Amino acid sequence: MKYVRFKHFFIIGFIFLLAACAKETSYESGANLFGPSGGSLKDSLGDCKGIVVKGKYSADSVLTDSNFILIQVTITSPGNYSIYSDTANGFWFRDSGYSVAGNQTLKIRGYGKPILPLNTDFDITYNNSVCSFTVSLITPPSVNIYRDYFPTTIGSNWAYDIAGFTDTLHIDASNKDSIIGGNTYRVFYGFRGTTFRDTGFYRKVGNNYFRYDALDMNSGKLELLYLKDDQPILNQWISPIANTVYNNIPTEIRMSYTLLSVHQPRVVNGISFDSVIQVRNDLQYKIVGTFQTIQTFTTYFAKNVGVIELDVPGVYNQRIRRWKVY
């Protein structure tokens, strides 16, 4: 019996201990651990208190712990709070916790990922009060993509219809460069259908376009200035001279270039181009001491596209079918 009475006394005492602890935390200190707090984002005059935006915000960058706002809140009764904004431009702000009474500065974290590099307005809510603020996004530095009459950007590619062939000619600007004679050329690869056909080397300096190539099957390769995009109509220039063989006779060869038209519209394969330069190419061999034109062909270059047509009358015609320039 004594044992039973002692056991009952211990249990009763433990219950009273719990009650005393509960009384001390819940009533004597005035805390309300599990209930909502009371308060507002506005002062006694109804004006919104301060909101400070922290962190850097960029389009297409996920927000981190460094992206948050500091907001001034008047807590009239302690307890749990939940402060949240609307969602705008792909991101938002939200946080919750416990606060004692008084004027408090609360940290509200940001979430999501901004979509556009635009300053974004938000409404933020606590209890029945709503305030507004703006997040300034970093404007990405402008990237000047310089487009020209023969783009050499990596991955750019072109497809051409070739008269007399069922397969198209496909040309790719590779990610490789080649240094020749101290100059850096972008490497191009050409395919007809799925068959590899040729490798080309191209570069540009100012308004002048160069390729490293041979003028015919019997001459060595040299640098050829094949286009000038800032010259007036009828401007002419001549390539360096190379040694070759013509009709089994050793001789010399060169190319003469003439701008026949500049910045003119042209339709190729039903596609309209509005800024085209037309160049006449006269392939000349030295015969009996004088350079004579043996073959003439014409190339057409469109701004932001490249070669849109190459025509060797009665021999060869290459017309653009599609292109992708990066």
Side-chain angles (χ1 to χ4, degrees):
M1 292 296 293
K2 291 183 179 179
Y3 172 76
V4 172
R5 285 197 299 269
F6 177 79
K7 181 180 179 181
H8 289 176
F9 176 80
F10 177 80
I11 295 174
I12 293 171
F14 182 68
I15 292 173
F16 276 109
L17 178 63
L18 290 177
C21 292
K23 178 180 178 182
E24 180 178 356
T25 56
S26 298
Y27 297 99
E28 292 180 358
S29 67
N32 180 14
L33 292 178
F34 302 104
S37 63
S40 175
L41 299 175
K42 299 182 179 181
D43 59 21
S44 59
L45 298 178
D47 296 326
C48 290
K49 298 163 75 71
I51 300 176
V52 178
V53 179
K54 294 290 186 178
K56 295 181 179 180
Y57 299 79
S58 302
D60 206 33
S61 295
V62 177
L63 302 192
T64 67
D65 290 341
S66 64
N67 299 108
F68 59 90
I69 61 171
L70 295 176
I71 188 165
Q72 302 294 320
V73 184
T74 298
I75 305 293
T76 55
S77 58
N80 293 331
Y81 64 84
S82 177
I83 300 178
Y84 55 91
S85 76
D86 52 346
T87 298
N89 193 20
F91 65 111
W92 66 96
F93 296 83
R94 187 181 190 95
D95 224 321
S96 59
Y98 173 83
S99 178
V100 298
N103 292 324
Q104 306 294 341
T105 299
L106 300 178
K107 176 180 175 181
I108 312 300
R109 183 179 166 184
Y111 297 89
K113 180 171 67 174
I115 300 171
L116 300 173
L118 303 174
N119 293 345
T120 306
D121 297 326
F122 290 93
D123 289 333
I124 193 159
T125 302
Y126 169 57
N127 289 344
N128 294 320
S129 60
V130 179
C131 288
S132 300
F133 66 98
T134 299
V135 174
S136 298
L137 270 75
I138 297 173
T139 301
S142 59
V143 178
N144 295 324
I145 301 176
Y146 185 75
R147 300 294 176 86
D148 49 42
Y149 285 87
F150 195 93
T152 59
T153 44
I154 294 173
S156 296
N157 57 87
W158 301 260
Y160 298 90
D161 289 328
I162 308 297
F165 293 89
T166 56
D167 290 333
T168 58
L169 174 65
H170 188 92
I171 297 176
D172 293 327
S174 76
N175 61 354
K176 298 179 180 180
D177 288 332
S178 182
I179 298 177
I180 305 172
N183 297 317
T184 301
Y185 295 82
R186 177 58 43 82
V187 179
F188 281 65
Y189 295 123
F191 300 83
R192 183 173 295 158
T194 59
T195 304
F196 175 73
R197 300 290 298 178
D198 199 8
T199 301
F201 304 90
Y202 295 86
R203 72 184 186 99
K204 180 173 182 285
V205 179
N207 298 97
N208 295 330
Y209 301 74
F210 299 89
R211 64 188 177 96
Y212 186 74
D213 203 355
L215 289 172
D216 69 1
M217 297 296 293
N218 297 314
S219 62
K221 291 185 176 182
L222 69 167
E223 183 171 78
L224 302 171
L225 172 57
Y226 64 91
L227 175 63
K228 299 180 180 182
D229 69 12
D230 63 342
Q231 297 300 307
I233 188 172
L234 299 182
N235 180 263
Q236 291 183 307
W237 66 97
I238 296 174
S239 75
I241 296 172
N243 294 319
T244 189
V245 175
Y246 180 68
N247 286 339
N248 296 319
I249 300 175
T251 187
E252 296 176 334
I253 186 173
R254 72 183 188 184
M255 185 77 77
S256 175
Y257 303 87
T258 305
L259 293 177
L260 295 184
S261 65
V262 297
H263 312 305
Q264 295 297 311
R266 185 171 180 81
V267 178
V268 178
N269 256 348
I271 307 169
S272 297
F273 299 92
D274 61 3
S275 184
V276 177
I277 297 177
Q278 179 185 1
V279 181
R280 187 181 73 203
N281 303 259
D282 293 312
L283 186 63
Q284 300 177 339
Y285 289 85
K286 196 170 189 179
I287 302 174
V288 193
T290 303
F291 279 102
Q292 300 181 28
T293 298
I294 301 302
Q295 188 175 65
T296 296
F297 61 95
T298 306
T299 49
Y300 299 85
F301 302 86
K303 191 173 184 179
N304 302 337
V305 179
V307 176
I308 59 172
E309 184 176 1
L310 190 158
D311 183 47
V312 186
V315 179
Y316 180 86
N317 183 262
Q318 172 183 320
R319 299 163 66 85
I320 197 162
R321 180 176 183 177
R322 63 149 192 83
W323 69 94
K324 178 66 175 179
V325 175
Y326 292 96

